Amino acid sequence: MASPPCGYSDSGLEIKTRSVEQTLIPLVSQITTLINHKDRPKKSERTAAAIQRVGQAVGVAVGRFVAVGEAIALENHELKDEMGHACFEARRAGDAISQLTDVGPARAPPSPSATVFGDRAGMVKAARLLLSSVTKVLVLADRIVIKQIVASRNKVLVTLDHLERVSTFQEFVQIFSQFGNEMVDFAHLTGDRQNDLKDEKKKARMAAARAVLEKCTMMLLTASKTCLRHPDCESARINKDAVFQRMRCALEQVVDIVTEAHGCTGNILPASIYNAVKDYKTSVECLRDDLYASLPDSVGRQLEALAERTEDFTDSPYTGHEQRQAILGMCQLARQDARQLLHAWTQAQSVQAKETTEELEVAIAKSCQSVNELTRELHKAAAGRASELLRVHAEHSPLRALKAAGAEGDPEAVAQYSRTLTEQKDQLVENCRLLCHVSGNEPLEITCVHAEETFHVIGPQIISAAQTLALHPSSKIAKENLEVFCEAWESQLVDVALLLREINDVVEGKRGDKRAYLSLPRSGKHSANLKSAKPVKLDAEEQSGVAKAGLELRLLSSDVDAELEKWEEQEQRAVRHGQSVASMAYNMYLFTRGEGLLKTTLDLFRQAEVLSEEGLQLCSSLHVLCTQLLSEEKLALTSEVEALAALCQQLQAGARTPVQGKSATFQKVDSSIQTTRAVLTLILKLLPACNKRNTKSKSERSGLGSPQDWRPDAPTPVRDGDADAHRDDFAVEPFEQHLSGLSLLEGN
């Protein structure tokens, strides 16, 4: 192979996944440390030896890494040239770093002015080349993952076409079994990709598309069986065709996301008030930096666009008179403030001010404040309406009436209740549109659009399924089909409730998503009793079985987080342990959806074991708080803490108990989730009382004039001398670990 240009680097590389980014971060950090170390005087032979070990570690790790890259090139001929070139550069850079850090055998004692290595320019050049080439290899390897997802989608599409054309039950059962296996593989590939994406908007779109596929898989089963049972029924055919069409659209959307296909309609979001407010405030605040900007054209136009979008609220028949008047009044106030801003800006220009005048500064602040108040009023209207709709629709009256009318074979009653359901559907669709306006960020906007589309599609599907049942009231499969579509509607209502909570969190300044800490426990640490267990992935039916309990985990973990945010001392052990338990419970919820970091049942059981240990640590922290209570309060809360400890021990014992067989494994999964739910419920009961006692105790300490805000669980400070003792050490071990971690590429 001809030698590539010495200064080769690809500055156009874009890192799109967290796995590539996380692999590079420690490499960048440690290479930077290595480069920066050159200007320091050589303190000891120990430092020189440490740097030499780093250089050797780089050479060995890069060699292993390149071997994997070259193996990938051999298996994927379309990447052979690019991958070979990148591997060549990486190996060359690794060898150069090894040579530059080789200080040779010990000779005479070093002089105080000597440095570890002298070729500064050579080290910088080699380091840059190494980072560039390693990044290139990782990005090329990432293309293989995309290729796997596209190939998996193509297999699913071919089987989907076969399913649509079957004419006998025997043929359908055979092909659907193959389809189910292919969908499970596709779900795991896309779930991994969703978690790995850096772009939150792409991640939200992927989640929406995968949610459609998840729900449509069961709909496809019952809709197809109903059509086979009643081949001459027009409503059954319409019901089935809608499911197949929606699945194909979702499959295409997934591939558009991973391949970044242009012209994808899913990438276009409706114009929202959130974006209009953001653009308007940006233009207004830019006047501080550019006093002579074109104010009338940009700011005035943006404010009118914002006011026009509020018509979705004011024109809605479901917006109350007082709320409508409040929104219109705030729009008028925003216009007045904009006119005042224009006046202040004109005055500043007339005196040829070189910086923002006080009058203009006040006008800028008032303009921003008025649109902020408008946004809060709009959020209040949308969130209030959503809460009311969710409360009314939680009774599911039209669904129950439709099922009853269909089972009685009463087409007229089905038509009557269909009109009621259509009206509810229209209300929910409109409310999702209003929530999109005030969502607070683009990923939540995407989720709102997905919810709107889901209600828009599922409503008519429920009606067609009810019409089929009314024509064939004795058909068990038609009844089951209607039940599946009604469950999908109810599930979407739960998703909207969760979405509303996340939007409220963003508007109130809280986190809009869950913390991503506490992933899987380290291998070997919590698996002593699970070595004989075989990792199993849940199939679609089993995931559907635990989905409801999983949603309860999601709600409870969110409630626990919200309760912990009320604690003044966020560094308390009780808060940290509680947050950890909530985070791990959220991971278990994602498992029930086929998403997240927990891929197999073995992963779930390990996570349950770690959660139980964290729960026991929480019990210990809460017990300390209970000791400060009066006798009656102490007795009641101590009893609850002991009950929590017993539940954690039960969860731990269950997670460690080996089982054999698929049925027993599924029962263990269900038991772990149910016990975790009980743990969170009890934690939620304990936290308010303990926080109240903790706040009162802190107040009492302040009243006594304690010399310092001491807590029994506060960390011990590190003495300066302890830190100085390690200042001359060079971190070799972490670097070796990070570089050897690049072999994770083999998983691709």
Side-chain angles (χ1 to χ4, degrees):
M1 179 184 290
S3 177
C6 185
Y8 168 80
S9 67
D10 191 344
S11 59
L13 291 176
E14 181 185 357
I15 299 172
K16 300 169 185 175
T17 58
R18 296 185 189 279
S19 57
V20 172
E21 183 179 67
Q22 293 302 315
T23 302
L24 289 172
I25 285 174
L27 178 60
V28 171
S29 175
Q30 296 287 354
I31 286 282
T32 302
T33 302
L34 185 64
I35 293 171
N36 291 341
H37 199 277
K38 66 194 172 305
D39 290 331
R40 303 173 189 169
K42 186 162 65 172
K43 300 289 185 181
S44 63
E45 292 183 7
R46 178 186 176 190
T47 301
I51 290 179
Q52 186 169 11
R53 288 199 303 274
V54 169
Q56 292 170 350
V58 168
V60 172
V62 170
R64 289 197 298 265
F65 177 75
V66 166
V68 176
E70 290 171 341
I72 290 175
L74 290 175
E75 295 172 2
N76 300 271
H77 295 290
E78 69 275 16
L79 299 179
K80 185 176 180 181
D81 292 340
E82 285 185 278
M83 184 69 85
H85 185 271
C87 288
F88 175 87
E89 297 284 58
R91 192 188 297 277
R92 189 160 67 90
D95 291 344
I97 290 175
S98 297
Q99 293 172 5
L100 288 167
T101 54
D102 185 4
V103 296
R107 298 184 183 88
S111 66
S113 61
T115 56
V116 175
F117 45 80
D119 190 357
R120 179 173 186 267
M123 177 59 73
V124 171
K125 185 176 180 180
R128 285 177 176 169
L129 183 59
L130 178 61
L131 292 174
S132 173
S133 54
V134 166
T135 303
K136 181 77 171 180
V137 172
L138 290 170
V139 170
L140 289 172
D142 189 60
R143 291 187 196 171
I144 307 301
V145 178
I146 296 172
K147 180 181 174 184
Q148 290 172 344
I149 292 174
V150 173
S152 179
R153 187 282 310 261
N154 292 340
K155 287 174 62 178
V156 170
L157 275 179
V158 169
T159 310
L160 196 65
D161 289 340
H162 291 164
L163 268 179
E164 195 171 20
R165 294 194 301 267
V166 297
S167 56
T168 67
F169 271 103
Q170 184 177 2
E171 186 183 7
F172 174 79
V173 170
Q174 180 181 356
I175 297 177
F176 189 82
S177 176
Q178 176 187 345
F179 174 76
N181 292 332
E182 291 172 355
M183 280 299 296
V184 168
D185 292 340
F186 185 72
H188 285 297
L189 283 172
T190 54
D192 291 343
R193 188 67 178 182
Q194 177 185 323
N195 292 326
D196 201 20
L197 287 170
K198 287 177 59 184
D199 189 318
E200 293 298 326
K201 291 185 289 184
K202 291 179 183 176
K203 187 177 289 189
R205 289 192 180 95
M206 181 75 86
R210 294 182 70 248
V212 170
L213 294 172
E214 177 188 341
K215 291 175 182 176
C216 281
T217 300
M218 184 57 68
M219 295 177 190
L220 184 143
L221 172 62
T222 57
S224 297
K225 287 167 65 178
T226 303
C227 214
L228 286 170
R229 178 72 69 191
H230 310 289
D232 298 326
C233 182
E234 180 67 12
S235 57
R237 185 193 60 77
I238 292 172
N239 184 263
K240 170 191 164 185
D241 289 349
V243 176
F244 275 88
Q245 180 183 359
R246 197 160 186 237
M247 286 202 76
R248 287 192 176 94
C249 288
L251 288 166
E252 289 304 316
Q253 184 178 346
V254 168
V255 171
D256 285 343
I257 293 165
V258 299
T259 60
E260 298 188 324
H262 297 291
C264 175
T265 55
N267 289 338
I268 302 173
L269 286 172
S272 71
I273 290 172
Y274 157 71
N275 285 320
V277 168
K278 185 170 66 173
D279 293 343
Y280 176 75
K281 289 170 63 178
T282 299
S283 296
V284 168
E285 290 172 344
C286 277
L287 292 175
R288 293 191 178 98
D289 301 321
D290 185 3
L291 190 58
Y292 295 94
S294 180
L295 177 71
D297 292 340
S298 60
V299 174
R301 187 171 57 251
Q302 288 171 343
L303 182 59
E304 287 310 312
L306 194 165
E308 183 179 342
R309 292 174 197 177
T310 63
E311 292 174 2
D312 284 348
F313 289 80
T314 56
D315 292 350
S316 170
Y318 307 112
T319 301
H321 176 72
E322 291 183 2
Q323 210 156 42
R324 181 179 292 108
Q325 291 303 311
I327 293 170
L328 291 171
M330 288 183 177
C331 287
Q332 190 60 32
L333 178 63
R335 290 188 179 98
Q336 291 175 6
D337 289 336
R339 285 195 291 271
Q340 184 61 37
L341 177 65
L342 174 60
H343 175 74
W345 173 76
T346 305
Q347 287 290 101
Q349 286 199 328
S350 67
V351 297
Q352 297 183 342
K354 294 183 178 180
E355 57 184 34
T356 310
T357 63
E358 183 178 350
E359 183 184 3
L360 181 57
E361 190 67 45
V362 171
I364 290 172
K366 287 184 68 177
S367 292
C368 292
Q369 183 182 357
S370 61
V371 293
N372 285 340
E373 289 175 354
L374 173 61
T375 304
R376 282 194 290 270
E377 185 64 29
L378 295 171
H379 168 259
K380 180 182 175 182
R385 179 63 183 160
S387 298
E388 177 64 19
L389 285 174
L390 290 170
R391 184 186 64 79
V392 172
H393 294 175
E395 301 172 2
H396 306 303
S397 300
L399 298 184
R400 289 201 303 270
L402 272 173
K403 286 187 273 190
E408 293 169 2
D410 189 346
E412 291 183 2
V414 166
Q416 176 187 343
Y417 294 122
S418 294
R419 286 191 291 271
T420 305
L421 182 67
T422 299
E423 184 180 346
Q424 286 196 353
K425 181 261 294 182
D426 291 341
Q427 292 176 6
L428 288 164
V429 165
E430 182 190 72
N431 192 246
C432 289
R433 195 173 299 128
L434 298 185
L435 287 174
C436 182
H437 274 305
V438 297
S439 57
N441 61 47
E442 289 185 325
L444 289 180
E445 282 186 38
I446 292 165
T447 309
C448 289
V449 171
H450 164 67
E452 178 186 339
E453 293 172 349
T454 300
F455 284 123
H456 186 75
V457 172
I458 291 183
Q461 287 179 312
I462 291 174
I463 293 171
S464 62
Q467 290 169 344
T468 303
L469 180 58
L471 294 172
H472 308 279
S474 61
S475 173
K476 291 183 179 179
I477 183 56
K479 183 178 181 180
E480 180 188 356
N481 187 46
L482 176 57
E483 190 68 41
V484 166
F485 281 95
C486 289
E487 287 176 359
W489 177 278
E490 294 167 4
S491 173
Q492 189 58 46
L493 286 174
V494 173
D495 289 347
V496 169
L498 295 170
L499 172 62
L500 177 59
R501 185 173 298 187
E502 290 182 351
I503 290 172
N504 289 339
D505 284 348
V506 171
V507 171
E508 294 167 10
K510 302 177 184 177
R511 295 186 315 277
D513 54 356
K514 298 288 291 188
R515 267 181 288 249
Y517 57 79
L518 283 175
S519 57
L520 278 174
R522 290 185 182 178
S523 177
K525 185 176 180 182
H526 298 282
S527 55
N529 299 304
L530 297 172
K531 288 181 180 177
S532 60
K534 183 180 179 181
V536 176
K537 293 182 178 180
L538 298 186
D539 58 28
E541 184 178 352
E542 289 168 336
Q543 280 188 347
S544 176
V546 297
K548 185 177 179 181
L551 283 172
E552 292 175 355
L553 280 187
R554 166 75 183 266
L555 290 167
L556 286 167
S557 65
S558 181
D559 287 340
V560 169
D561 267 341
E563 192 62 46
L564 288 167
E565 286 174 356
K566 298 176 184 177
W567 289 52
E568 293 181 5
E569 298 175 346
Q570 286 292 301
E571 292 305 313
Q572 271 217 0
R573 286 181 182 175
V575 175
R576 295 199 304 271
H577 293 312
Q579 289 171 338
S580 298
V581 168
S583 177
M584 286 186 277
Y586 183 76
N587 282 345
M588 295 173 73
Y589 152 73
L590 290 177
F591 173 83
T592 66
R593 293 178 58 87
E595 301 173 5
L597 299 166
L598 311 180
K599 303 302 180 186
T600 67
T601 53
L602 188 56
D603 294 337
L604 179 76
F605 301 147
R606 286 173 176 165
Q607 186 76 100
E609 187 176 353
V610 181
L611 187 149
S612 68
E613 293 178 3
E614 201 71 24
L616 290 171
Q617 293 289 333
L618 175 61
C619 289
S620 176
S621 299
L622 295 179
H623 185 74
V624 172
L625 293 174
C626 289
T627 58
Q628 305 170 16
L629 297 172
L630 299 176
S631 56
E632 293 183 3
E633 293 176 309
K634 180 178 179 180
L635 183 63
L637 274 183
T638 301
S639 175
E640 297 285 1
V641 172
E642 289 173 354
L644 177 60
L647 278 174
C648 291
Q649 289 167 353
Q650 177 186 334
L651 179 63
Q652 189 176 71
R656 290 177 174 176
T657 302
V659 293
Q660 297 292 334
K662 191 171 184 180
S663 176
T665 300
F666 178 71
Q667 289 177 3
K668 183 175 175 181
V669 168
D670 186 61
S671 175
S672 297
I673 292 172
Q674 297 292 349
T675 307
T676 303
R677 183 180 64 176
V679 167
L680 291 179
T681 302
L682 197 48
I683 289 174
L684 204 54
K685 184 178 178 182
L686 279 165
L687 288 176
C690 291
N691 185 29
K692 182 179 177 182
R693 177 61 251 181
N694 184 58
T695 304
K696 184 178 179 181
S697 176
K698 181 181 178 183
S699 176
E700 289 170 352
R701 289 198 304 269
S702 299
L704 292 172
S706 53
Q708 54 182 319
D709 188 16
W710 177 84
R711 298 195 314 269
D713 62 349
T716 304
V718 179
R719 297 187 303 273
D720 290 340
D722 296 335
D724 290 338
H726 302 284
R727 237 169 234 167
D728 192 38
D729 291 346
F730 193 83
V732 181
E733 204 171 303
F735 184 75
E736 293 170 336
Q737 291 171 355
H738 291 316
L739 261 289
S740 62
L742 293 177
S743 62
L744 289 173
L745 181 62
E746 293 182 73
N748 291 327

